[in-house]
Amino acid sequence: MARRSKEGCCSVLQMNEDNARFGLLATLILIYLLCGAAIFSAIEHPSELQAQKLWKMRLRNFTQTFNVSPTELMAFLRQYEEANVAGIRVDALRPRWDFPGAFYFVGTVVSTIGFGMTTPATISGRIFLIFYGLIGCAATILFFNLFLERIITMLAYILRWVHERQLRRTGVRMSSEHRRGSAGDVDSLEGWKPSVYYVMLILGVAALLIACCASAMYSSMEDWSYFDSFYFCFVAFSTIGFGDLVSSQKEHYQNQNAYRFGNYLFIIMGVCCIYSLFNVISIVIKQILNWILAKIDCRCCRRWQKKHLRHHRNAVRPAPNKTRQKNASIDTVCDSETDGRRMSGEMISVKDFLASNKVSLAIMQKQLSETANGARQTYIHHNGFSGGIGALAIMNNRLAETSVDR
Amino acid sequence: MARRSKEGCCSVLQMNEDNARFGLLATLILIYLLCGAAIFSAIEHPSELQAQKLWKMRLRNFTQTFNVSPTELMAFLRQYEEANVAGIRVDALRPRWDFPGAFYFVGTVVSTIGFGMTTPATISGRIFLIFYGLIGCAATILFFNLFLERIITMLAYILRWVHERQLRRTGVRMSSEHRRGSAGDVDSLEGWKPSVYYVMLILGVAALLIACCASAMYSSMEDWSYFDSFYFCFVAFSTIGFGDLVSSQKEHYQNQNAYRFGNYLFIIMGVCCIYSLFNVISIVIKQILNWILAKIDCRCCRRWQKKHLRHHRNAVRPAPNKTRQKNASIDTVCDSETDGRRMSGEMISVKDFLASNKVSLAIMQKQLSETANGARQTYIHHNGFSGGIGALAIMNNRLAETSVDR
């Protein structure tokens, strides 16, 4: 009975590790959304009420001054809303559907920014958009992924070069003190990988630089404040694209062509950079999820061990191979210092995690994945899910092709 | 001299294969954008002109009827635009910044849909948005990736099950005819992987189903036409989010809470499904890029061979190991039927590619990647770029952890 319950506890824990991570992430995102909603509501609600008050006053003023009946004014404003959708504003904007305007529009479609300053109004335009977006967005996702891989390669190259120089410097110092030092250093370079935190830092700084330069351009060209320009940059580069502020919409600018080109260039660079940054941050988030799951795992196991260990030791029972395998893999997560290969438990400890900006993420993840794999093998054979591995291997092949081999 | 030029030709071709693919994709996307811009411009420009004409007429009518000076009306409309940004419309909308409204808003932020029906107006709101979006979008990218991996696992499981059943049926038929059949079939199941085209088809059908169901809901609740609802679904699910149509914006609905819940549910399901679909389509696009590159490679090599082969055969020259390796790897791409391992050239041929909906992508990609790796090894040792592999391995570890092991 106890064996069964342990088996149940452990196999449920491990079988559903992927689902647990997915569920944990979904729960955390939900909490994040709820907190965000509460904070935004607190920040923005007063200003909304004020805007409503102001608008009511202005509406009343206008109807009284010009002796227009409210219903007629409302009808007129509805017509204006309709015109708005077609891209008409009081202060003449650039034409929406001339070639440059349409080019800007399709750019916001394939990048999924979707400002909404221009939207197809005809049915044929909307039908075409669906097919056009389907291929275009997929191609752009591939473009972003290839860019991500290019930038990571480049950053790794630079970081390795810096690391090599540092080693050589210490090596020179070391060898002047005692001769063996430099040989050891060269060896340590072989398996060297840059820390994800450095990559995140560099990408963050790059994104910040691009956003700052772009903001300087926008604030001088669009009459926005520098901060508003920066806010626009974030909204555009992250492909959120609210459309409350949209660049390059006036009818005329000084150096119009240069500005349009600069606008496209900054948006492409910014979107690529922020996409890479988001992906690197998501690695860190995954680490945190793994760490939380490992903690929960350990706590559950310890509680179980306290309850059942004595019973187990005294019980004379057949121990099938399968169960042993499972217990072993759980142990890998729980007991951190019993044998040499048991690094994962150590590594997941809080102290190490907090100090891990010096620990290469690659090593961390390899260990985590080894742990998970150990636990997984039995599961796969258990429920015949090995077919899943095949299709995952397709994604793997793709991802490997996208990000590893080249 | 000739050797050097061949070396140069081949190494340039191979060294820059990644860059070539990236450049090719960028060029194709640019062409795609230009074509799209031309087509959209042709479709939408007449309707824009018509809308402008209509608005001018209405404006003139209004000023004449109510004896309002155009400048005063313009000032009033500017005020209305200002109110618009704060989420005010003639027909009362739901409150923007009460808790449910803010929740909808943060949902559009982290998913990068960004309809723009609600945007922060205060500076503190905008500052908070930047930090909130940075973490939120990264977490959601991770969520989408985990979902992608879950759905691919599930689809592979189902497809394998179907394949197994088919094999068993043919096996039964076969074994009634001659006994050996079924054993061979079981063997062939081991390395079986579902075709990417089936996965794409299934995801496409799923996305279509979700969009159709959601459209039915929206068209009944929002008074949109069924097609407009479908267009909204595509724009929302692909995270473009123009904001020309936004669901759940009226002040009151029948069964308001149920509708809001259904709205969230459909958007989450749709976004996840379309994200997966985009990623699977991007695999196919990458295949096409590889195929184009291989074709260009072959043509270039053949031209070179015609020019220089005779010279080479007659020349007595030292053939260093490095050069041989390179030639061998190029041959793997160019000559398709010289030895057993030379499958990649065959596979990339047009005929096979067009018939490849029956060829498992996994095999295709493995072969392509083998070809590329063969070519790559020398390059890595050549310019000391092996450091790049380290960082790519970081992404690999992440991707492998995301999509392979579990």
Side-chain angles (χ1 to χ4, degrees):
Chain A
M1 189 63 203
R3 186 170 70 81
R4 209 168 154 191
S5 87
K6 175 168 188 175
E7 208 174 288
C9 162
C10 291
S11 64
V12 163
L13 275 174
Q14 289 163 46
M15 269 171 65
N16 293 327
E17 204 194 314
D18 308 348
N19 294 330
R21 187 186 299 105
F22 189 62
L24 180 64
L25 181 62
T27 314
L28 289 180
I29 288 180
L30 188 68
I31 294 170
Y32 190 74
L33 289 180
L34 290 172
C35 294
I39 295 170
F40 273 112
S41 178
I43 294 176
E44 296 288 336
H45 204 48
S47 118
E48 183 191 12
L49 296 177
Q50 211 176 333
Q52 276 173 344
K53 228 186 205 166
L54 186 70
W55 172 241
K56 266 180 197 158
M57 200 191 69
R58 282 170 170 178
L59 201 67
R60 206 173 44 233
N61 271 357
F62 188 83
T63 47
Q64 284 172 354
T65 315
F66 296 97
N67 201 22
V68 185
S69 82
T71 46
E72 275 165 324
L73 187 60
M74 290 300 192
F76 177 70
L77 287 178
R78 259 185 221 109
Q79 291 173 348
Y80 184 56
E81 277 176 20
E82 216 176 278
N84 265 342
V85 173
I88 295 161
R89 296 289 184 286
V90 175
D91 302 302
L93 298 179
R94 67 187 277 180
R96 254 88 256 274
W97 293 111
D98 61 341
F99 188 80
F103 185 78
Y104 197 7
F105 165 74
V106 290
T108 67
V109 171
V110 299
S111 61
T112 75
I113 294 176
F115 284 126
M117 78 291 186
T118 313
T119 53
T122 64
I123 289 184
S124 46
R126 288 179 173 185
I127 293 173
F128 181 62
L129 179 93
I130 291 174
F131 291 100
Y132 188 81
L134 207 63
I135 309 294
C137 294
T140 316
I141 282 184
L142 181 61
F143 179 81
F144 289 155
N145 282 333
L146 291 185
F147 176 85
L148 174 66
E149 161 220 356
R150 304 275 75 206
I151 195 100
I152 295 279
T153 309
M154 203 191 71
L155 286 180
Y157 182 67
I158 294 169
L159 283 174
R160 193 189 148 94
W161 181 79
V162 171
H163 183 73
E164 230 172 66
R165 267 194 59 168
Q166 271 180 345
L167 272 193
R168 215 170 288 153
R169 245 183 238 169
T170 8
V172 169
R173 215 181 300 153
M174 292 277 277
S175 65
S176 66
E177 290 167 23
H178 46 92
R179 287 279 157 99
R180 278 186 203 172
S182 64
D185 287 338
V186 168
D187 282 347
S188 76
L189 202 63
E190 276 306 303
W192 191 83
K193 288 170 181 181
S195 154
V196 76
Y197 298 99
Y198 283 131
V199 174
M200 190 167 80
L201 187 74
I202 292 170
L203 281 174
V205 169
L208 204 67
L209 269 179
I210 294 173
C212 285
C213 294
S215 300
M217 184 182 77
Y218 291 130
S219 62
S220 74
M221 300 297 281
E222 301 280 355
D223 298 326
W224 298 338
S225 75
Y226 190 82
F227 174 72
D228 277 354
S229 305
F230 191 84
Y231 162 76
F232 164 76
C233 285
F234 177 77
V235 170
F237 297 170
S238 61
T239 77
I240 295 173
F242 287 133
D244 50 350
L245 296 172
V246 185
S247 61
S248 187
Q249 290 302 299
K250 287 189 204 167
E251 211 170 10
H252 295 293
Y253 289 97
Q254 278 191 313
N255 305 319
Q256 183 149 306
N257 288 330
Y259 175 55
R260 280 185 182 173
F261 180 73
N263 182 36
Y264 292 140
L265 201 71
F266 271 123
I267 288 181
I268 291 172
M269 278 164 45
V271 167
C272 286
C273 206
I274 292 264
Y275 179 83
S276 306
L277 182 63
F278 280 167
N279 272 285
V280 174
I281 293 176
S282 83
I283 304 178
V284 177
I285 293 175
K286 198 170 181 195
Q287 288 300 314
I288 297 170
L289 291 181
N290 285 342
W291 177 76
I292 293 173
L293 281 180
K295 277 279 143 187
I296 294 171
D297 241 32
C298 279
R299 210 167 285 168
C300 172
C301 279
R302 264 182 215 139
R303 206 180 306 147
W304 184 90
Q305 278 174 345
K306 265 186 198 164
K307 243 180 167 176
H308 299 278
L309 207 60
R310 210 165 281 175
H311 179 255
H312 254 253
R313 285 204 179 138
N314 295 342
V316 181
R317 54 172 184 84
N321 229 359
K322 227 177 227 173
T323 320
R324 275 217 185 131
Q325 263 187 320
K326 265 180 199 159
N327 291 353
S329 57
I330 268 284
D331 285 349
T332 316
V333 179
C334 299
D335 308 326
S336 50
E337 276 159 277
T338 17
D339 73 38
R341 227 187 132 266
R342 209 138 292 180
M343 298 272 286
S344 47
E346 271 172 70
M347 186 270 316
I348 310 166
S349 75
V350 202
K351 212 174 145 193
D352 285 26
F353 184 78
L354 292 176
S356 62
N357 57 338
K358 286 207 167 180
V359 174
S360 165
L361 180 78
I363 301 169
M364 258 168 113
Q365 288 208 322
K366 206 183 152 214
Q367 287 162 349
L368 275 171
S369 124
E370 267 171 13
T371 313
N373 280 346
R376 177 144 290 262
Q377 292 309 324
T378 52
Y379 163 50
I380 290 162
H381 288 287
H382 212 61
N383 71 348
F385 208 81
S386 46
I389 308 303
L392 281 186
I394 285 189
M395 289 314 291
N396 174 31
N397 279 337
R398 179 186 78 85
L399 298 172
E401 234 199 319
T402 310
S403 315
V404 196
D405 303 337
R406 40 208 70 186
Chain B
M1 188 64 201
R3 186 170 69 82
R4 210 168 154 189
S5 88
K6 175 168 186 175
E7 212 173 283
C9 162
C10 291
S11 65
V12 164
L13 274 174
Q14 289 163 46
M15 268 171 65
N16 294 329
E17 205 194 313
D18 308 348
N19 293 331
R21 188 186 299 104
F22 189 63
L24 180 65
L25 181 62
T27 314
L28 289 180
I29 288 179
L30 188 67
I31 294 169
Y32 190 73
L33 289 181
L34 291 172
C35 294
I39 295 171
F40 272 113
S41 178
I43 294 175
E44 295 288 336
H45 204 49
S47 118
E48 183 191 12
L49 296 177
Q50 212 176 335
Q52 276 172 344
K53 229 186 206 166
L54 186 70
W55 172 242
K56 265 180 198 159
M57 199 191 69
R58 282 172 169 174
L59 202 66
R60 207 173 43 235
N61 271 355
F62 189 83
T63 48
Q64 285 172 354
T65 315
F66 296 98
N67 200 24
V68 185
S69 81
T71 46
E72 275 164 327
L73 186 60
M74 289 300 191
F76 176 69
L77 287 179
R78 257 183 222 111
Q79 291 173 350
Y80 184 56
E81 276 176 21
E82 215 176 280
N84 264 342
V85 173
I88 294 160
R89 296 288 185 285
V90 174
D91 302 301
L93 298 179
R94 67 187 276 181
R96 252 93 253 276
W97 292 111
D98 62 340
F99 188 80
F103 185 78
Y104 197 6
F105 165 74
V106 290
T108 67
V109 171
V110 300
S111 61
T112 76
I113 295 176
F115 285 125
M117 77 292 186
T118 313
T119 52
T122 63
I123 289 184
S124 46
R126 289 179 172 183
I127 293 173
F128 182 62
L129 178 94
I130 291 173
F131 291 100
Y132 187 80
L134 206 64
I135 308 295
C137 293
T140 316
I141 282 184
L142 181 61
F143 178 81
F144 290 155
N145 282 331
L146 291 184
F147 176 85
L148 174 66
E149 160 221 354
R150 305 275 74 206
I151 196 98
I152 295 278
T153 308
M154 203 190 71
L155 286 180
Y157 182 67
I158 294 169
L159 283 175
R160 193 189 149 93
W161 180 79
V162 171
H163 181 74
E164 230 173 66
R165 266 193 60 169
Q166 272 180 346
L167 273 193
R168 215 171 287 153
R169 246 184 237 167
T170 9
V172 168
R173 216 181 296 153
M174 294 276 276
S175 64
S176 67
E177 291 168 21
H178 45 92
R179 287 279 157 99
R180 277 186 204 169
S182 64
D185 288 339
V186 168
D187 281 347
S188 76
L189 200 64
E190 276 306 304
W192 190 83
K193 287 170 182 182
S195 154
V196 76
Y197 299 98
Y198 282 132
V199 173
M200 190 166 79
L201 187 74
I202 292 172
L203 280 175
V205 169
L208 203 66
L209 269 180
I210 294 173
C212 285
C213 294
S215 301
M217 183 181 78
Y218 291 130
S219 63
S220 75
M221 299 299 280
E222 300 281 353
D223 298 326
W224 298 337
S225 74
Y226 190 82
F227 173 73
D228 277 354
S229 305
F230 191 83
Y231 162 76
F232 164 76
C233 285
F234 177 77
V235 169
F237 296 170
S238 60
T239 77
I240 296 173
F242 288 133
D244 50 350
L245 297 172
V246 185
S247 61
S248 188
Q249 290 302 299
K250 288 189 202 166
E251 211 170 9
H252 295 294
Y253 290 96
Q254 278 190 314
N255 305 320
Q256 184 150 309
N257 288 329
Y259 175 55
R260 282 185 181 173
F261 180 74
N263 183 35
Y264 292 140
L265 202 70
F266 272 122
I267 288 181
I268 290 172
M269 278 165 43
V271 167
C272 286
C273 207
I274 292 263
Y275 178 83
S276 306
L277 183 64
F278 280 167
N279 272 285
V280 174
I281 293 176
S282 82
I283 303 178
V284 177
I285 293 175
K286 199 171 182 196
Q287 289 299 316
I288 297 171
L289 291 182
N290 285 341
W291 176 77
I292 294 173
L293 281 180
K295 277 278 143 187
I296 294 171
D297 240 33
C298 280
R299 211 167 284 169
C300 173
C301 277
R302 266 184 213 137
R303 207 180 304 149
W304 183 91
Q305 278 175 345
K306 265 185 197 164
K307 243 183 170 175
H308 298 277
L309 207 61
R310 209 166 282 175
H311 180 255
H312 253 256
R313 282 203 181 137
N314 294 340
V316 182
R317 54 173 184 84
N321 229 358
K322 231 177 225 172
T323 320
R324 278 220 182 129
Q325 265 186 323
K326 266 180 200 161
N327 292 352
S329 57
I330 268 285
D331 285 349
T332 316
V333 179
C334 297
D335 307 327
S336 51
E337 275 158 276
T338 16
D339 73 39
R341 227 187 133 266
R342 208 140 292 180
M343 297 274 286
S344 46
E346 271 172 71
M347 187 270 316
I348 310 166
S349 76
V350 201
K351 210 174 146 194
D352 284 27
F353 184 78
L354 291 176
S356 61
N357 57 338
K358 285 206 169 181
V359 173
S360 164
L361 180 77
I363 300 169
M364 258 171 113
Q365 288 208 321
K366 207 187 149 211
Q367 287 162 349
L368 275 172
S369 124
E370 267 170 13
T371 313
N373 280 346
R376 178 144 289 262
Q377 292 310 324
T378 51
Y379 163 50
I380 290 161
H381 287 286
H382 211 62
N383 71 348
F385 208 80
S386 46
I389 308 303
L392 281 186
I394 285 188
M395 289 313 291
N396 174 32
N397 279 336
R398 181 186 75 86
L399 298 172
E401 235 200 318
T402 310
S403 314
V404 196
D405 304 337
R406 40 208 66 188

